[in-house]
């Protein structure tokens, strides 16, 4: 016997639109309905079972094998149907074997939905095999969907599979339709008036389009007749002249020149600027666009990605690597070298608080810059800008942020260090003279708690370090040296620190290797230190610390041991400490001596204010004999206790060690108070 889907199929050959609409035969309909009637008769004559839900059916197993039951009214539509009992009475299970044997279901549209989203209800459930008949509550305004008994909505389409036209369904009409699987299909037709209106609208639209197309073509022809264009040539562009009267043929270079001179070009002070007739974007690589870049994910690969990108930029002559926001974990050291300075490369982030590199091991060197193997071809022209380095893993003394070897002209701008013990190592452990030269830290800073056996800035062989700009602040908690030179073989020539603001370092400058030559520290403020400036070569090292000029800055202690003990402390190895000038500074609140020279030094102390120093009962200044080729002078200084004195009074303002020496002088000093007097001994 044929099924309802076959009897009420859409086309003569089902699924083939070209075969024409199918008209069900009365004989097929009679056979279909006779079959249903036979099933119903058999069911009722055998005392069939009816349950309102599948759950109730499954709870009732006290029936013989092959007993039949109907589930009708289950909220889940698919659960309704004809079921067969499996197994003996009291055991087994029920299996769904067929849809409920209804030939059709009448549904009602009570207006619960909308004109285009119809909600139908029926007293008996529907299934894929039944014919549906329903009323229409109100006329539709466009495409139509139907939901049956709260089930998921499906589109209602015409018999030929098209959307329903507006007003194709009118209030009060009756429709017949079947379930086609993904949609419902009408067996009845749309309202003829809607079909005619749609046809007329389509015809009018087609006529209007043809008329508009003809008018457009005429207008285009008229416009073209009045246009005079230059001849076509390869690799050229059309540009209006300055008067706006003609179009001219220009080369790409000529067009680029015009754009450079126009107002749209990026300002030279912005991150992505036009420069040298070349768009900044065309000179850049972006780390975030690299295929294997993780952004510091759980599996860090970003050191290798950045390394490869740097090497590619160097090979391609690109001048810039743009870093994204966020934390970037480095699983290994990045080796950045550019021997011979074939091109400068700028590595730029989005700001030190926005773009941060994190270490992944305690002794990791994060960036190794330059290579001794390159010999005279120093790595140069590399700059780091707008980024931070931070401790993802607590570092030890072997770790380092930037380790420079055989470098020249390396710039760090707007770089901030968090939690690392050593931020910069310049020429450390180098085996040659002037290993790292011309290094500049501009607008840099750090925040590094804890204690360390290495300095924040460590100097080895090299020269010309410049720390300047507007500082973010250099902050610790008293356990780390700020700048240290410890190379016993090579000195450091040239160090210039300008207008920096520092807080709570163990020492600010500690030179105990071969020595620092030509150093200037000016401006800013140093707040707390055990020793602010210490020139003291290690035993057996003939270190020469010469030409130091420390002036116009503030050295502030807190009257507590370890937070402001000595200002300038000099002591010899077997070398010299000469031409050290300590002038026009404010030195306040030191528990011990403002200046302490031992074993003979060449030092000038001039025009300073020493306030509340020596308050643990020592002298404020203690001056030893000068060397054979040096002089010592203490002139025009104010030494006094302020309004808010700390601890006990100092003993002497100036304590001269040894006998009178023609190479040391004292005059113009204003020494106030002191428990033992202004001066002890004579210059």
């Amino acid at each position: 016997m044929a099924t309802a889907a076959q009897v009420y199929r859409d086309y003569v050959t089902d699924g083939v639109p070209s075969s024409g609409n199918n008209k069900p035969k009365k004989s097929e309909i009679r056979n279909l309905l006779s079959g249903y009637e036979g099933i119903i008769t058999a069911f009722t004559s055998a005392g069939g079972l009816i349950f309102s839900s599948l759950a109730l059916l499954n709870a009732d197993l006290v029936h013989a094998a092959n007993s039949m039951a109907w589930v009708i009214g289950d909220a889940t539509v698919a659960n309704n149907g004809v079921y067969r009992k499996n197994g003996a009475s009291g055991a087994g299970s029920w299996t769904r074997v067929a849809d409920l044997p209804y030939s059709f279901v009448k549904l009602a549209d009570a207006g619960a939905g909308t004109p285009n989203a119809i909600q139908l209800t029926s007293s008996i459930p529907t299934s894929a095999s039944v014919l549906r008949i329903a009323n229409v509550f109100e006329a539709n305004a466009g495409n139509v969907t139907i939901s049956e008994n709260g089930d998921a909505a499906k589109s209602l389409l015409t018999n030929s599979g098209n959307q329903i036209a507006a007003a194709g369904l009118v209030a009060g009409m009756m429709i017949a339709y079947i379930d086609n699987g993904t949609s419902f299909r009408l067996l009845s037709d749309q309202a003829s008036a809607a079909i005619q209106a749609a046809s007329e609208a389509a015809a009018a639209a087609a006529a209007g389009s043809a008329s508009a197309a003809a008018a457009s073509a005429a207008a285009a022809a008229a416009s073209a007749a009045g246009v005079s264009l230059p001849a076509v040539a390869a690799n050229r562009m059309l540009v209006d002249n300055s008067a706006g009267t003609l179009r001219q043929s220009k080369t790409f270079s000529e067009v680029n020149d015009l754009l450079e001179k126009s107002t749209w070009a990026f300002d030279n002070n912005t991150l992505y600027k036009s420069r040298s007739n070349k768009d900044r974007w065309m000179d850049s690589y972006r780390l975030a666009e690299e295929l294997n870049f993780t952004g510091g994910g759980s599996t860090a690969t970003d050191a290798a990605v950045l390394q490869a990108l740097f090497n590619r930029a160097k090979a391609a002559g690109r001048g810039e690597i743009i870093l994204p926001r966020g934390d970037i974990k480095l699983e290994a050291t990045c080796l950045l070298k550019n021997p011979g300075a074939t091109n400068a490369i700028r590595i730029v982030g989005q700001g030190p608080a926005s773009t941060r590199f994190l270490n992944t091991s305690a002794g990791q060197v994060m960036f190794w810059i330059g290579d001794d193997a390159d010999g005279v071809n120093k790595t140069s022209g590399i700059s780091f800008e707008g980024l931070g380095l931070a401790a993802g893993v607590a570092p030890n003394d072997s770790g380092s942020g930037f380790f420079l070897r055989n470098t020249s002209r390396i710039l760090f701008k707007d770089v901030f260090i968090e939690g690392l013990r050593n931020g910069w190592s310049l020429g450390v452990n180098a085996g040659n003279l002037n290993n790292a030269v011309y290094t500049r830290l501009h607008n840099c800073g750090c925040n590094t708690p804890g204690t360390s056996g290495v300095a924040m800035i460590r100097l080895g062989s090299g020269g010309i370090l410049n720390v300047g700009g507007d500082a973010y602040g250099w902050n610790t908690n008293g356990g780390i040296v700020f700048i240290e030179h410890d190379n016993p073989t090579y000195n450091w020539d040239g160090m210039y620190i300008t207008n920096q603001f520092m807080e709570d370092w163990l020492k600010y400058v500690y030179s105990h290797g071969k020595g620092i030559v030509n150093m200037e520290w000016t401006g800013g403020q140093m707040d707390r230190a055990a020793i602010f400036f210490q020139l003291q070569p290690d035993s057996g090292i003939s270190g020469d610390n010469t030409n130091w000029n420390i002036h116009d800055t503030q050295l502030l202690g807190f009257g507590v041991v370890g937070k402001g003990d000595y200002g300038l402390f000099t002591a010899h190895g077997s070398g010299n400490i000469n031409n050290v000038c300590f002038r026009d500074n404010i030195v306040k609140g030191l528990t011990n001596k403002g200046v302490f020279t031992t074993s003979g030094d060449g030092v000038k102390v001039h025009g300073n204010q020493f306030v509340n120093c020596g308050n643990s009962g020592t002298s404020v200044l203690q001056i030893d004999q000068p060397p054979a080729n040096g002089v010592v002078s203490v002139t025009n200084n104010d030494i006094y206790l302020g309004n808010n004195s700390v601890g006990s009074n100092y003993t002497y303002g100036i304590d001269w060690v040894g006998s009178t020496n023609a190479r040391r002088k004292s005059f113009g000093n204003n020494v106030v108070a002191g428990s033992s007097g202004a001066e002890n001994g004579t210059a």
Side-chain angles (χ1 to χ4, degrees):
M1 182 178 69
T3 66
Q6 292 172 327
V7 173
Y8 294 107
R9 61 189 179 273
D10 294 332
Y11 306 105
V12 175
T13 301
D14 197 21
V16 183
S18 60
S19 64
N21 292 337
N22 177 63
K23 295 182 179 180
K25 297 179 180 179
K26 292 182 179 180
S27 59
E28 292 178 343
I29 296 173
R30 285 194 296 271
N31 289 337
L32 180 65
L33 296 180
S34 296
Y36 290 163
E37 290 170 352
I39 293 172
I40 294 170
T41 300
F43 176 72
T44 55
S45 63
L49 306 170
I50 297 178
F51 294 86
S52 60
S53 71
L54 179 58
L56 293 175
L57 172 63
N58 288 332
D60 186 358
L61 299 177
V62 187
H63 299 281
N66 297 320
S67 296
M68 179 174 61
W70 288 8
V71 173
I72 181 169
D74 196 296
T76 302
V77 174
N79 290 344
N80 297 302
V82 179
Y83 287 79
R84 180 182 64 219
K85 177 65 167 50
N86 302 311
S89 178
S93 62
W94 293 94
T95 301
R96 190 181 189 281
V97 295
D99 292 336
L100 293 171
Y102 295 105
S103 58
F104 67 90
V105 174
K106 184 176 181 181
L107 300 105
D109 179 4
T114 66
N116 295 338
I118 299 173
Q119 295 182 12
L120 300 178
T121 57
S122 62
S123 58
I124 57 176
T126 60
S127 68
S129 58
V130 302
L131 172 67
R132 282 100 160 143
I133 298 174
N135 68 299
V136 175
F137 186 78
E138 53 190 332
N140 71 304
N143 299 344
V144 177
T145 63
I146 287 179
S147 170
E148 298 177 342
N149 296 318
D151 204 1
K154 294 183 180 180
S155 295
L156 177 65
L157 305 177
T158 66
N159 190 284
S160 56
N162 297 316
Q163 296 288 350
I164 306 295
L169 304 180
V170 297
M173 73 181 295
M174 297 295 293
I175 57 173
Y177 65 97
I178 61 170
D179 188 346
N180 194 42
T182 59
S183 64
F184 295 124
R185 291 287 187 91
L186 281 173
L187 296 180
S188 56
D189 212 339
Q190 304 181 68
S192 58
I195 299 174
Q196 181 178 350
S199 299
E200 291 173 349
S209 297
S211 176
S216 297
S223 298
V227 175
S228 177
L229 297 176
V232 175
N235 299 321
R236 301 179 76 87
M237 299 176 70
L238 293 180
V239 179
D240 291 349
N241 65 0
S242 58
T245 56
L246 294 174
R247 287 193 170 89
Q248 301 170 329
S249 180
K250 298 283 187 182
T251 65
F252 291 156
S253 178
E254 290 170 333
V255 171
N256 196 37
D257 285 339
L258 290 172
L259 293 175
E260 286 287 341
K261 297 173 183 176
S262 69
T263 56
W264 71 263
F266 293 114
D267 184 86
N268 284 338
N269 293 321
T270 61
L271 177 61
Y272 307 115
K273 62 185 180 181
S274 291
R275 64 179 185 193
S276 303
N277 201 31
K278 187 175 185 181
D279 191 344
R280 165 74 74 176
W281 284 103
M282 299 303 292
D283 199 28
S284 303
Y285 282 128
R286 296 159 192 79
L287 180 63
E289 295 176 358
E290 296 302 294
L291 181 62
N292 294 319
F293 176 68
T294 68
S298 57
T299 303
T301 59
D302 292 334
V305 176
L306 179 58
Q307 179 76 67
L309 186 59
F310 177 88
N311 294 342
R312 196 163 80 243
K314 180 174 65 175
R318 296 293 180 95
E320 187 173 61
I321 295 174
I322 300 172
L323 306 173
R325 293 179 181 273
D327 287 346
I328 304 170
K329 292 182 181 178
L330 299 179
E331 79 284 2
T333 298
C334 289
L335 174 58
L336 308 182
K337 50 181 289 186
N338 190 22
T342 52
N343 65 295
I345 297 179
R346 177 175 179 250
I347 301 172
V348 56
Q350 308 304 309
S354 298
T355 300
R356 301 194 313 168
F357 288 101
L358 306 181
N359 69 340
T360 54
S361 63
Q364 179 179 1
V365 174
M366 299 177 71
F367 291 94
W368 187 297
I369 305 167
D371 191 342
D372 287 337
D374 293 328
V376 296
N377 294 317
K378 291 181 178 294
T379 286
S380 64
I382 297 177
S383 64
F384 295 81
E385 303 180 32
L387 56 92
L389 268 58
V393 173
N396 58 33
D397 287 353
S398 298
S400 181
F402 301 100
F403 196 92
L404 279 63
R405 290 291 289 270
N406 200 28
T407 60
S408 176
R409 296 187 296 108
I410 307 298
L411 170 66
F412 301 91
K413 181 179 179 182
D414 296 318
V415 173
F416 194 80
I417 303 292
E418 294 182 71
L420 300 183
R421 298 183 179 187
N422 172 236
W424 290 266
S425 285
L426 312 180
V428 171
N429 298 326
N432 63 309
L433 185 66
N434 291 330
N435 185 267
V437 296
Y438 301 111
T439 306
R440 184 182 178 197
L441 278 60
H442 183 79
N443 290 0
C444 295
C446 76
N447 183 24
T448 301
T451 59
S452 171
V454 293
M456 174 54 59
I457 300 176
R458 191 177 174 197
L459 305 181
S461 169
I464 315 299
L465 167 65
N466 188 305
V467 180
D470 296 327
Y472 285 95
W474 300 89
N475 302 314
T476 70
N477 61 358
I480 303 178
V481 174
F482 179 55
I483 296 178
E484 179 178 14
H485 177 260
D486 60 1
N487 191 312
T489 306
Y490 301 103
N491 64 9
W492 186 270
D493 187 358
M495 185 174 78
Y496 307 95
I497 316 297
T498 307
N499 295 325
Q500 298 302 291
F501 292 85
M502 329 286 290
E503 185 169 1
D504 204 5
W505 292 82
L506 181 64
K507 301 173 183 179
Y508 285 93
V509 179
Y510 181 29
S511 179
H512 61 102
K514 184 68 173 177
I516 297 175
V517 179
N518 302 320
M519 190 282 279
E520 182 167 13
W521 189 300
T522 180
Q525 175 180 308
M526 288 171 280
D527 189 348
R528 289 173 288 179
I531 301 175
F532 287 83
F533 296 95
Q534 182 173 357
L535 296 70
Q536 185 177 8
D538 290 334
S539 177
I541 296 178
S542 57
D544 293 329
N545 291 288
T546 62
N547 300 339
W548 285 43
N549 190 9
I550 303 166
H551 64 96
D552 296 290
T553 188
Q554 298 184 69
L555 288 68
L556 306 179
F558 274 58
V560 177
V561 175
K563 298 299 182 182
D565 296 344
Y566 294 91
L568 175 65
F569 183 99
T570 69
H572 281 284
S574 55
N576 297 305
I577 296 175
N578 279 327
N579 305 330
V580 175
C581 184
F582 190 82
R583 62 181 177 85
D584 299 319
N585 302 295
I586 296 174
V587 185
K588 185 175 181 180
L590 303 190
T591 62
N592 214 306
K593 306 179 191 306
V595 175
F596 183 24
T597 70
T598 67
S599 304
D601 302 303
V603 177
K604 180 177 182 178
V605 181
H606 174 80
N608 304 285
Q609 294 184 39
F610 295 94
V611 186
N612 290 341
C613 295
N615 55 52
S616 61
T618 68
S619 60
V620 176
L621 308 180
Q622 180 173 319
I623 309 299
D624 208 331
Q625 296 284 337
N629 58 345
V631 297
V632 175
S633 63
V634 180
T635 59
N636 298 107
N637 298 285
D638 292 325
I639 303 173
Y640 61 98
L641 296 173
N643 294 329
N644 300 309
S645 60
V646 179
S648 61
N649 293 352
Y650 56 82
T651 55
Y652 296 101
I654 307 171
D655 187 7
W656 298 96
V657 178
S659 60
T660 302
N661 191 310
R663 287 183 171 270
R664 63 184 187 186
K665 300 293 181 182
S666 173
F667 57 83
N669 299 296
N670 181 18
V671 182
V672 179
S675 61
S676 301
E679 297 187 41
N680 179 43
T682 57

